[in-house]
Amino acid sequence: MTIDYDLVILGGSAAGRSMAQRAVQRGLRVALVDGWPEVDRLQQTAQGSHAALVQAARLAQQQAQQGWAIAPRPALRDLQTWGQQLPSSSLASLAELGVDVVAGPAEFRRRPVAVVAGGRILRSRAYGLATGMEDAVPQIPGIDAVPYTTVRSLWHQPLPSTPIHWLIVGHRPQTVELAQALNGLGQSVTLITAPRLLPAEDPQIAALIAAQLEAEGIEIVLGHPEQVDGHAQACRLQVNGQIYKGDRLLVDTQQPQVRSLNLEAVGVQWTQNSIITDAHLRTTHPQIYALGDGLGGYALPSITEAEADLLLYNLCHPGQRTVPYHHIPITIQTSPTITRIGLTEPQARQRYGDDLWVGINPFPSDADRALGQTTSLVKVILKPDGQIIGVHGVGNHTDVAALAIALQHHHRFHHLALSPSTALGAIAQAWQQHRRERSLWSRLQPTWLAMNRA
């Protein structure tokens, strides 16, 4: 059987385009199947509009805190119009690089394994699933009779011209960003999430952000929706036996966009939440891999790029590497911003036990203080020898993300040159004091002094 390609990528998502570009630059023969151009366009519009909404809300918040009047607060409809006018990412540039772009629906064929798309049979050494996510019907009793909006469809439906009350259901970081941004632009928001706000983040960090949201007027409800009823102008949601009323229901429920690929024919397994892969991004078929938000994790460019690099390395080299997720800087665009590298404190204690040192600095940076932002925290988690295993920041602490390289290369915290005027520098000084107190000489010094005073 003739092998036409080294890699066939299914999906014109950001993950698919990124991997195609990287693969062809490494000299691989690559085809990208763009079977869902309209869905990809809707996703790009939603992402652009979401980013504009977050930035507009942040500017409005800063103006309110400082008493500025630089620009009027934008209306939701203006942001929607702007997002719909964004240029879409063209696949023509990939074709110019040498990627064989194939248009049309695609599905797998079992024996021999191949992809049928655009009236062609594409045979490859490996296949990459980068189709992203699609909206899923929320598992809420009564939802079939109630009009609702999703995070993706929000920007393609008529938006209110006046403030309304939103009931938002979801737990992803983008859901929290959206809730805070809508509230910052004058909307009223009740956020229903479970098991807690931002469950993948360090509990102390998540609690601080929850307090910030509540201080801004957002009602946070922890629990799963039990029943919903209503119509286009009003809805009622029952959570933990209590009724919450709103003007519009927005839900963030997604599933991998793979139903049309005939994955059952090639034995690839997936769930309502993600495509099943091993630590090397290989699915339950040895030739088929997956990456991007279809894996169920955070939909962030930094993660997608790391997954693409890992997948391509394993295709081009002997041996198999795994994705170093704990070495990838994570940024969540709440206000203040969350930055994370490495393990949370519960993860660290589960892996290494309780013999850890945790340093915390709650004071805002100079940049945050100048903008009137007082919610701040930097948290560093170290092993007894000073190895960094987790760094978390809330606020404008730019040096937190810079520690990614130190964590990747297992540098000791006390070997880093950190300015004492920064939050990390203050934590470094506390760590040095801790080391001195635990040193052998610090324990022998009282005896030595007593002997010399005799």
Side-chain angles (χ1 to χ4, degrees):
M1 181 185 70
T2 303
I3 300 297
D4 305 309
Y5 302 98
D6 296 305
L7 177 64
V8 170
I9 302 166
L10 287 84
S13 64
R17 298 192 302 271
S18 175
M19 184 164 61
Q21 180 179 346
R22 282 169 157 77
V24 77
Q25 289 173 344
R26 294 191 182 209
L28 300 185
R29 296 171 298 171
V30 183
L32 185 145
V33 180
D34 184 26
W36 308 267
E38 184 59 29
V39 174
D40 294 336
R41 169 61 180 162
L42 292 177
Q43 179 65 14
Q44 291 173 35
T45 300
Q47 290 173 345
S49 300
H50 178 91
L53 175 71
V54 169
Q55 292 303 320
R58 183 166 294 178
L59 177 60
Q61 181 188 51
Q62 292 173 357
Q63 288 189 153
Q65 290 173 339
Q66 297 297 317
W68 299 338
I70 299 175
R73 188 164 62 185
L76 289 182
R77 289 184 177 179
D78 295 335
L79 294 172
Q80 182 182 41
T81 301
W82 182 86
Q84 291 172 345
Q85 294 173 346
L86 287 174
S88 59
S89 299
S90 172
L91 297 177
S93 58
L94 292 178
E96 292 174 358
L97 291 174
V99 176
D100 186 5
V101 178
V102 181
E107 67 175 10
F108 278 96
R109 191 184 70 178
R110 179 180 297 178
R111 294 179 182 174
V113 174
V115 168
V116 180
R120 298 168 52 188
I121 298 177
L122 311 178
R123 302 177 180 87
S124 178
R125 288 175 48 218
Y127 303 87
L129 303 179
T131 52
M133 304 289 273
E134 63 181 352
D135 291 332
V137 177
Q139 300 300 306
I140 306 174
I143 194 66
D144 294 338
V146 178
Y148 65 91
T149 303
T150 68
V151 172
R152 193 192 310 264
S153 67
L154 171 67
W155 303 105
H156 306 282
Q157 297 179 357
L159 289 177
S161 57
T162 57
I164 65 170
H165 190 129
W166 295 80
L167 298 180
I168 301 179
V169 180
H171 66 275
R172 295 191 310 145
Q174 288 86 346
T175 313
V176 179
E177 295 171 359
L178 179 62
Q180 187 180 31
L182 287 173
N183 180 78
L185 293 179
Q187 306 290 308
S188 178
V189 176
T190 296
L191 176 61
I192 297 95
T193 188
R196 61 174 174 83
L197 190 76
L198 299 171
E201 299 306 309
D202 189 275
Q204 190 172 9
I205 299 296
L208 187 62
I209 293 297
Q212 174 70 26
L213 297 183
E214 290 176 333
E216 294 174 6
I218 297 175
E219 181 181 20
I220 299 176
V221 179
L222 301 183
H224 297 280
E226 299 156 354
Q227 184 73 34
V228 64
D229 63 72
H231 47 79
Q233 283 75 41
C235 59
R236 302 192 313 162
L237 196 65
Q238 178 176 313
V239 184
N240 301 327
Q242 186 171 345
I243 300 297
Y244 297 89
K245 298 180 180 180
D247 300 309
R248 185 174 292 191
L249 175 65
L250 188 150
V251 295
D252 183 14
T253 55
Q254 299 184 334
Q255 64 184 10
Q257 186 176 270
V258 296
R259 289 180 295 175
S260 63
L261 296 181
N262 194 28
L263 294 182
E264 296 81 3
V266 288
V268 173
Q269 299 177 7
W270 59 286
T271 69
Q272 187 76 10
N273 300 316
S274 65
I275 302 170
I276 297 174
T277 63
D278 61 14
H280 312 292
L281 302 183
R282 185 187 292 110
T283 68
T284 46
H285 189 287
Q287 287 179 262
I288 303 175
Y289 298 78
L291 78 161
D293 51 350
L295 300 183
Y298 284 2
L300 297 175
S302 57
I303 294 178
T304 297
E305 291 167 6
E307 290 171 344
D309 287 339
L310 178 279
L311 196 157
L312 293 174
Y313 179 91
N314 288 344
L315 289 179
C316 299
H317 298 84
Q320 294 286 297
R321 290 184 175 179
T322 60
V323 182
Y325 285 111
H326 292 312
H327 294 169
I328 302 173
I330 301 297
T331 301
I332 300 175
Q333 297 296 338
T334 50
S335 181
T337 303
I338 300 174
T339 306
R340 164 169 60 89
I341 313 158
L343 303 178
T344 65
E345 185 175 347
Q347 290 171 338
R349 294 194 183 282
Q350 183 177 14
R351 180 175 298 188
Y352 299 108
D354 290 332
D355 191 13
L356 300 172
W357 186 85
V358 179
I360 295 174
N361 188 328
F363 298 105
S365 66
D366 292 339
D368 281 337
R369 201 176 290 111
L371 293 173
Q373 179 60 263
T374 58
T375 300
S376 176
L377 185 74
V378 173
K379 183 174 186 176
V380 178
I381 306 169
L382 306 176
K383 294 174 69 173
D385 61 356
Q387 181 179 337
I388 306 168
I389 55 177
V391 184
H392 306 263
V394 172
N396 188 19
H397 300 286
T398 55
D399 47 354
V400 170
L403 284 187
I405 296 176
L407 190 148
Q408 292 168 8
H409 295 281
H410 308 290
H411 293 319
R412 300 300 184 261
F413 192 51
H414 46 276
H415 292 163
L416 305 179
L418 299 171
S419 170
S421 63
T422 65
L424 276 176
I427 293 176
Q429 291 180 328
W431 165 245
Q432 293 285 19
Q433 178 64 27
H434 173 76
R435 291 182 68 229
R436 285 192 293 268
E437 292 173 354
R438 292 194 58 178
S439 66
L440 177 62
W441 173 245
S442 67
R443 294 194 295 270
L444 294 177
Q445 188 180 40
T447 303
W448 182 84
L449 289 173
M451 292 174 59
N452 281 271
R453 290 171 183 152

